[in-house]
């Protein structure tokens, strides 16, 4: 736990950027400590772990789901989740919509793009995403709200590489906004930037940085 780092990060963020404190694998005491400092947005990547934390911790925490989400796990988080950053198929979005309807909610979701070189990362490419947006089934979903995009850069020391990947994500955002969400004020988020690359992400237009180890320590 590093409160000094937390405060330094908060102070350095432009007002247009919100901090998602990534608390995955960390105990409730650490989350409560940061909550006591005033932090309200936390990010987790495992549905059941998140459900347990939700039940134990203050109810005004805004929980963001940032990991790969399996359809059969949506039920653990659907009643309360504030945002799902990792939608990468129409099928998943339809399942989220179904559960959101059941709980009489509209769940804000981000479209995750694969922008890194690594094979293992999840996410749409541009063509797949456009195919979804041209499917009438997508526009029929009333209990999810598409709030923007998310992406993870390659794990590398090459700053130019990272920067160009974030520029690609920003470009996807701009094209989606202009082409499909021009009158939708809720389509506004660009979730990019982690402990090692959030400063570059902010320079390239991030609105949500997801920072874990700089605040909570190594996992
Ligand atoms: C773990 C994780 C983070 C935070 O990573 P740090 O390097 O610890 O800041 C951000 N985004 C996603 C999707 C993650 O899984």
């Amino acid at each position: 736990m590093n409160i000094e780092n937390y405060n330094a990060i908060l102070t350095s963020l432009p007002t247009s950027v919100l901090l998602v404190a990534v608390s995955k694998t960390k105990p409730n005491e650490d989350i409560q400590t940061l909550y006591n400092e005033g932090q309200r947005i936390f990010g987790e990547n495992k549905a059941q772990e998140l459900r347990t934390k939700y039940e134990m911790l203050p109810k005004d925490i805004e929980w963001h789901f940032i990991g790969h989400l399996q359809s059969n796990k949506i039920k653990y988080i659907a009643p309360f989740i504030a945002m799902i950053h990792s939608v990468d198929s129409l099928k998943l979005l339809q399942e989220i919509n179904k559960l959101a309807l059941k709980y009489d909610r509209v769940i804000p979701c981000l479209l995750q793009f694969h922008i890194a070189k690594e094979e293992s990362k999840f996410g749409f490419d541009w063509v797949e995403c456009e195919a979804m947006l041209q499917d009438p089934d997508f526009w029929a979903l009333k209990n999810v709200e598409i709030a923007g995009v998310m992406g993870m850069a390659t794990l590398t020391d090459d700053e130019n590489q990272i920067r160009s990947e974030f520029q690609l994500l920003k470009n996807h955002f701009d094209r989606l906004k202009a082409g499909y969400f021009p009158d939708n004020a809720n389509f506004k988020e660009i979730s990019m930037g982690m402990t090692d690359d959030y400063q570059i992400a902010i320079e390239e237009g991030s609105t949500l940085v997801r920072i874990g180890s700089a605040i909570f320590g190594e996992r």
Side-chain angles (χ1 to χ4, degrees), residues 22 24 66 150 152 194-195 210-213 219:
V22 176
K24 62 191 188 195
I66 62 171
M150 180 270 216
M152 272 189 280
M194 314 182 6
T195 291
R210 310 177 310 269
I211 300 180
S213 37
R219 286 179 297 272

Side-chain angles (χ1 to χ4, degrees), residues 129-146:
C129 188
E130 274 222 304
M132 177 176 79
L133 292 167
Q134 284 161 8
D135 188 331
D137 290 348
F138 172 84
W139 298 99
L141 302 175
K142 298 299 180 218
N143 292 76
V144 290
E145 175 170 275
I146 307 302

Side-chain angles (χ1 to χ4, degrees), residues 15-197:
T15 51
S16 55
V17 180
L18 287 179
L19 170 64
V20 179
V22 176
S23 49
K24 62 191 188 195
T25 78
K26 298 297 176 181
N28 289 345
E29 303 85 83
D30 286 5
I31 299 172
Q32 184 69 53
T33 299
L34 212 59
Y35 177 92
N36 294 345
E37 292 291 315
Q39 182 66 26
R40 290 296 178 272
I41 308 177
F42 290 87
E44 291 280 337
N45 70 343
K46 297 244 159 48
Q48 279 141 302
E49 179 182 343
L50 172 49
R51 177 57 179 254
T52 308
K53 287 174 169 175
Y54 163 75
E55 284 169 0
M56 304 296 291
L57 286 158
K59 288 296 174 287
D60 62 338
I61 289 179
E62 210 182 284
W63 292 103
H64 287 220
F65 192 84
I66 62 171
H68 179 62
L69 185 56
Q70 292 167 278
S71 292
N72 60 345
K73 304 279 174 69
I74 303 168
K75 59 176 184 277
Y76 297 115
I77 61 171
F80 64 88
I81 197 75
M83 184 172 281
I84 297 175
H85 288 229
S86 45
V87 169
D88 62 0
S89 72
L90 178 55
K91 196 169 159 290
L92 179 61
L93 200 58
Q94 286 167 325
E95 294 298 324
I96 296 170
N97 189 78
K98 210 182 281 177
L99 271 289
L101 179 62
K102 176 174 169 189
Y103 291 103
D104 193 24
R105 305 187 58 214
V106 174
I107 298 181
C109 294
L110 304 181
L111 304 177
Q112 181 175 357
F113 280 93
H114 180 154
I115 54 172
K117 274 186 173 163
E118 289 127 15
E119 288 291 329
S120 64
K121 301 255 161 90
F122 296 100
F124 286 109
D125 63 29
W126 177 258
V127 172
E128 288 167 351
C129 188
E130 274 222 304
M132 177 176 79
L133 292 167
Q134 284 161 8
D135 188 331
D137 290 348
F138 172 84
W139 298 99
L141 302 175
K142 298 299 180 218
N143 292 76
V144 290
E145 175 170 275
I146 307 302
V149 301
M150 180 270 216
M152 272 189 280
T154 305
L155 199 60
T156 172
D157 290 331
D158 183 349
E159 277 199 20
N160 293 328
Q161 173 74 28
I162 294 168
R163 189 176 297 281
S164 74
E165 290 170 1
F166 287 151
Q167 285 168 348
L168 176 64
L169 186 61
K170 172 68 163 69
N171 191 262
H172 288 341
F173 173 85
D174 290 340
R175 288 175 69 187
L176 291 175
K177 180 81 188 163
Y180 297 95
F181 303 94
D183 303 317
N184 185 344
N186 296 317
F187 187 88
K188 62 179 170 45
E189 305 295 355
I190 304 176
S191 169
M192 60 185 186
M194 314 182 6
T195 291
D196 290 333
D197 57 21

